[in-house]
Amino acid sequence: MKTTTGWGYVIKNNDKIIIKQSIIPVIQNEKSFETEAEALKVGNLVLEKLKSQTSPTITKKDLILLSIKT
């Protein structure tokens, strides 16, 4: 999803919003993702975590592994 300062992501289940993330999680600054591709990478990781029934929490290590600019 487009935000006023960049990109974020929404995860839905049967049209019900489960997660709406407009800023990069786990960093100190409130900053949106710079590109749609970055938001999709993290959103897809969160979705995979949910599907595998693990915590959808994103870590700094996840951001580094996905090459997300913070």
Side-chain angles (χ1 to χ4, degrees), residues 3-54:
T3 68
T4 55
T5 58
W7 293 90
Y9 60 87
V10 175
I11 296 178
K12 295 181 181 181
N13 184 14
N14 297 324
D15 292 329
K16 181 181 176 190
I17 294 175
I18 304 292
I19 297 172
K20 184 175 183 180
Q21 190 71 44
S22 59
I23 59 172
I24 301 172
V26 84
I27 64 169
Q28 288 183 338
N29 301 332
E30 287 193 15
K31 176 181 169 186
S32 293
F33 295 95
E34 287 187 17
T35 66
E36 182 179 16
E38 286 184 346
L40 283 171
K41 282 185 199 178
V42 176
N44 285 330
L45 177 59
V46 170
L47 185 58
E48 289 304 313
K49 287 183 175 194
L50 287 169
K51 285 180 179 179
S52 65
Q53 297 183 347
T54 60

